[in-house]
Amino acid sequence: MDPFLLKDPAVPFRSSTDHLHHTWAKTFFSRPELYIRPQTIPEIQQLVTLARRCRRRIVTVGSGHSPSDLTCTSSWLVNLDDFNRILNVDSETGLVTVEAGIRLSELGTQLEKHGLTLANLGSIDSQSIAGVIATGTHGSSLHHGLLSECIESLGLVLANGQLVRCSPTNNPDLFRAGLVSLGALGIVVEVTLKATRTFNIAWRQERYSLSRVLSEWTQGLWTDHEFVRVWWLPYEKGAIVWRAEKTDLPLRAPPRNFYGDSLGYHIYHNLLALSSYVPRILPWVEWFVFGMQYGFRPGSTVTEAVEPARSGLLMNCLFSQFVNEWALPLDKGPEAILRLSAWLNGDLKTAQIPFSPKGLWVHCPVEVRVSDSSLNTKPRPFLDPTSRDGPTLYLNATLYRPYLRDPPCRERYYEAFEWLMRDMGAKPHWAKNFRTLGPSELGNAYREDMDSWLKVRQEVDPDGMFLGEWHRRNLPLTEASDSDERLPLLEREQERRKLNISGVGDGIEWVGDRRGQVESDHPTEMTYDFPESSSPTASEESFDLLAKGEASILLPGPEMSN
Ligand SMILES: Cc1cc2nc3c(=O)[nH]c(=O)nc-3n(C[C@H](O)[C@H](O)[C@H](O)COP(=O)(O)OP(=O)(O)OC[C@H]3O[C@@H](n4cnc5c(N)ncnc54)[C@H](O)[C@@H]3O)c2cc1C
Ligand SMILES: O=C1O[C@H](CO)C(O)=C1O
């Protein structure tokens, strides 16, 4: 396709051609043809219209914290970091409307000025609000479901450039599809959420034996405090249990020690690096690093603090990592942990996992977290991986990448871990590094919910402008469209290659093809009917004029800021 673009001169098109995209963990890289940072809705509508006319796929990226290749593209990459304002705050009701590029950290800072905060957080707050919603990000609390349970309504710009709003009562199917959209419906531009009054948490962290974790599993481990997370240390047969409760106590910073901060970080990093050459030291590394940090014996060291929830709920995620996380019913947790523990420690009879762990040594911790979205009275996201009728357990097999180098155990560990998760009826966290289950298995796991999601998706984006290889690999897209030919803009993977740049370790460059990127006068008609959708905006009207020939033609240079 000739890079000449039809463009309304009144609407800026803020793009560059030399952007190197990468995930936070530097696991995947890609070089988009254009990297576009719009600042207004007309700019977003314009870029979508241009992409449609130029037959380009669009990927919207938030902060790039999804560890997989979900956000990789060789086509157009859109980022809403400059579309991140707070549009409205009602301190009484807690209803807040924001532009969708806002990061949770900035949202938290702004909300605090109004005495508000998010009711729940995951391990970090670096993500964009739209990114958190799109992948079903969760924290760890049986009082809460997915972070997106506070979302009241969404505004999306669809493949035809139309701005559409949806909520439980307005376009409810689009809302349910948009709550876990995987970036595949359109560009989420506006989010209305319900915040809660700011609160502080008193937290306490201590070492448990694994047997105590399991014996308290149904006896208060998850229910005695509002927020609970467990880091399981498989070789130590132990765990670090972190629990927090809302409190009126005065703030008290966590204690600092000579080892815990910078020194401990570097020692752990270098021991992990060493273990890539001598993997059998990993049980010793687990003993030493977690002993130094949290005490060598259960109950020996208790750490406590009182912090604002906005910072106290977060944790330091240390180094680049692969994360493979699955959701299963909470009551299956003890069996899953005991079988995985047995496998890692060489007891194949108990493990019932048909792969050999011989010579395999893994990193810790395995994160053990919970949520309960069955308490939520709002419509569930179609692609919500959590249990419908009770609490959910998340098991997250973390593997660090010391100095950005992949650990040697990944293939075999994840093969066995995923086998166990599938055997237990678990579903993968959409954002993480699960190896593909294939479209039919994920289709079967979600059944009619997957059909509903695919139906909405197909209606709002019939050409597959928001689809790529990740979606093709994992979702039964062909159920909704007879063949790939019905999704001409879907970006296929051409190759994965090692990056020829220093300092990127084992990062992989993802390269997409240019199939479908030929100009067409006949984009597929959209069939979706929006009962209360917005009327065409000024920029849509101006594109009608452009289409009738009253257009200015601009040559995009490296920086096309106006
Ligand atoms: C260190 C670390 C800690 C983490 N902790 C947790 C945790 O505690 N719990 C948990 O569940 N997950 C966790 N995650 C995963 C993370 O929350 C998700 O990957 C989240 O989606 C990242 O948000 P993001 O803004 O970076 O989105 P990205 O990774 O950039 O994008 C994710 C998806 O959202 C889509 N998207 C982004 N913006 C838009 C938009 N405006 N419109 C439409 N689609 C859009 C993208 O296309 C993509 O499909 C963690 C990840 C890391 C690296
Ligand atoms: O993806 C994730 O990374 C951290 C673990 O380091 C976390 O809690 C996730 O979830």
Side-chain angles (χ1 to χ4, degrees):
M1 155 78 194
D2 190 322
F4 285 87
L5 301 177
L6 284 168
K7 180 186 168 306
D8 181 346
V11 180
F13 186 72
R14 301 170 207 277
S15 74
S16 58
T17 53
D18 55 359
H19 181 73
L20 179 64
H21 166 65
H22 63 79
T23 58
W24 170 83
K26 298 196 172 153
T27 38
F28 291 99
F29 292 72
S30 66
R31 299 175 201 271
E33 181 186 27
L34 290 182
Y35 178 60
I36 311 166
R37 290 186 48 153
Q39 296 184 1
T40 63
I41 290 196
E43 286 180 38
I44 295 169
Q45 291 178 307
Q46 169 175 266
L47 77 86
V48 170
T49 303
L50 287 173
R52 195 174 67 250
R53 291 187 188 285
C54 297
R55 315 303 289 149
R56 292 302 196 262
R57 177 203 180 188
I58 290 178
V59 175
T60 317
V61 65
S63 69
H65 272 67
S66 294
S68 70
D69 56 347
L70 179 62
T71 55
C72 287
T73 183
S74 299
S75 187
W76 291 11
L77 186 65
V78 175
N79 171 255
L80 301 190
D81 277 358
D82 298 329
F83 190 71
N84 62 351
R85 284 159 294 199
I86 305 256
L87 300 175
N88 191 51
V89 178
D90 184 330
S91 311
E92 288 306 308
T93 60
L95 285 177
V96 179
T97 301
V98 296
E99 292 176 341
I102 195 166
R103 303 286 177 95
L104 294 191
S105 50
E106 178 61 15
L107 175 60
T109 306
Q110 297 301 327
L111 289 184
E112 203 161 59
K113 296 177 185 163
H114 299 271
L116 296 172
T117 192
L118 294 178
N120 186 21
L121 283 171
S123 305
I124 54 166
D125 62 358
S126 320
Q127 313 97 316
S128 67
I129 185 76
V132 156
I133 298 168
T135 60
T137 294
H138 63 90
S140 194
S141 168
L142 287 188
H143 293 226
H144 303 279
L146 302 176
L147 262 57
S148 65
E149 75 181 356
C150 68
I151 304 304
E152 299 282 326
S153 69
L154 297 172
L156 293 97
V157 171
L158 301 180
N160 66 353
Q162 189 186 15
L163 170 63
V164 179
R165 293 200 168 76
C166 57
S167 71
T169 51
N170 175 21
N171 297 319
D173 278 359
L174 183 62
F175 184 67
R176 292 184 67 187
L179 282 178
V180 175
S181 75
L182 304 171
L185 298 189
I187 302 182
V188 174
V189 291
E190 208 177 275
V191 177
T192 298
L193 58 93
K194 195 162 168 58
T196 187
R197 306 300 313 163
T198 48
F199 60 97
N200 297 332
I201 51 166
W203 61 255
R204 175 185 170 94
Q205 181 165 271
E206 64 186 301
R207 187 171 180 142
Y208 276 31
S209 64
L210 181 60
S211 56
R212 180 170 171 202
V213 167
L214 298 176
S215 70
E216 292 185 12
W217 195 268
T218 53
Q219 309 293 324
L221 176 71
W222 301 110
T223 48
D224 280 356
H225 294 73
E226 180 168 344
F227 302 97
V228 188
R229 60 175 181 247
V230 172
W231 294 337
W232 166 33
L233 316 178
Y235 299 120
E236 283 291 287
K237 298 199 172 72
I240 311 302
V241 177
W242 180 98
R243 304 202 270 193
E245 200 60 86
K246 288 186 179 129
T247 186
D248 293 326
L249 291 169
L251 295 177
R252 179 156 51 100
R256 304 190 74 147
N257 66 41
F258 82 97
Y259 179 83
D261 302 328
S262 173
L263 184 62
Y265 175 95
H266 291 295
I267 289 178
Y268 194 15
H269 202 182
N270 287 297
L271 286 173
L272 287 169
L274 179 63
S275 77
S276 290
Y277 300 97
V278 196
R280 66 173 179 278
I281 66 169
L282 279 168
W284 178 84
V285 173
E286 183 179 303
W287 168 80
F288 176 76
V289 168
F290 283 81
M292 289 296 285
Q293 188 91 36
Y294 303 104
F296 285 90
R297 284 187 322 281
S300 60
T301 312
V302 175
T303 311
E304 292 180 304
V306 179
E307 297 186 288
R310 183 162 98 65
S311 50
L313 287 170
L314 308 178
M315 62 179 233
N316 183 348
C317 294
L318 301 178
F319 330 107
S320 170
Q321 56 200 255
F322 292 113
V323 273
N324 196 342
E325 183 169 48
W326 292 61
L328 63 163
L330 181 62
D331 59 10
K332 292 191 174 180
E335 180 189 336
I337 290 173
L338 283 172
R339 287 176 66 187
L340 186 58
S341 174
W343 188 78
L344 289 169
N345 289 289
D347 171 4
L348 290 182
K349 190 158 174 288
T350 308
Q352 296 294 308
I353 297 175
F355 300 100
S356 168
K358 199 155 183 277
L360 181 95
W361 307 99
V362 305
H363 302 169
C364 72
V366 178
E367 272 192 295
V368 186
R369 294 182 286 182
V370 292
S371 74
D372 193 348
S373 46
S374 68
L375 308 171
N376 188 3
T377 53
K378 287 213 206 83
R380 289 171 71 85
F382 287 128
L383 297 187
D384 181 348
T386 64
S387 306
R388 272 166 186 267
D389 47 10
T392 294
L393 172 73
Y394 287 95
L395 283 182
N396 190 14
T398 306
L399 282 177
Y400 294 111
R401 303 175 67 241
Y403 298 102
L404 305 181
R405 295 289 176 195
D406 296 348
C409 57
R410 178 163 61 124
E411 272 305 307
R412 269 210 289 157
Y413 182 27
Y414 281 178
E415 182 177 48
F417 176 65
E418 293 189 357
W419 189 92
L420 174 65
M421 291 297 95
R422 290 152 89 166
D423 193 46
M424 304 219 55
K427 295 194 180 90
H429 186 309
W430 289 110
K432 312 253 169 134
N433 299 106
F434 63 96
R435 296 145 356 119
T436 185
L437 278 68
S440 63
E441 190 171 338
L442 272 170
N444 289 338
Y446 284 88
R447 293 193 299 266
E448 64 273 14
D449 282 341
M450 179 64 82
D451 296 341
S452 303
W453 187 86
L454 289 169
K455 181 163 179 284
V456 172
R457 210 222 65 77
Q458 188 64 20
E459 284 168 353
V460 297
D461 176 26
D463 281 352
M465 176 191 278
F466 293 99
L467 292 176
E469 187 76 33
W470 185 96
H471 304 95
R472 185 173 165 273
R473 202 167 66 219
N474 293 304
L475 307 173
L477 298 170
T478 48
E479 298 287 316
S481 58
D482 295 342
S483 75
D484 283 359
E485 297 312 312
R486 299 268 306 270
L487 298 166
L489 298 189
L490 182 150
E491 185 185 20
R492 298 278 286 270
E493 178 176 314
Q494 187 178 299
E495 62 170 319
R496 286 166 184 236
R497 59 188 179 209
K498 197 151 168 31
L499 263 174
N500 234 347
I501 307 176
S502 65
V504 298
D506 289 334
I508 294 290
E509 181 179 359
W510 187 97
V511 184
D513 70 1
R514 291 283 159 85
R515 191 187 64 101
Q517 298 191 349
V518 289
E519 196 158 14
S520 160
D521 291 336
H522 306 291
T524 314
E525 284 304 313
M526 286 180 53
T527 54
Y528 204 48
D529 183 25
F530 296 104
E532 292 168 47
S533 61
S534 61
S535 55
T537 64
S539 77
E540 280 175 80
E541 281 158 9
S542 57
F543 270 109
D544 287 343
L545 291 178
L546 287 169
K548 285 181 196 136
E550 297 166 45
S552 47
I553 300 176
L554 298 185
L555 175 64
E559 279 296 336
M560 302 193 308
S561 297
N562 256 306

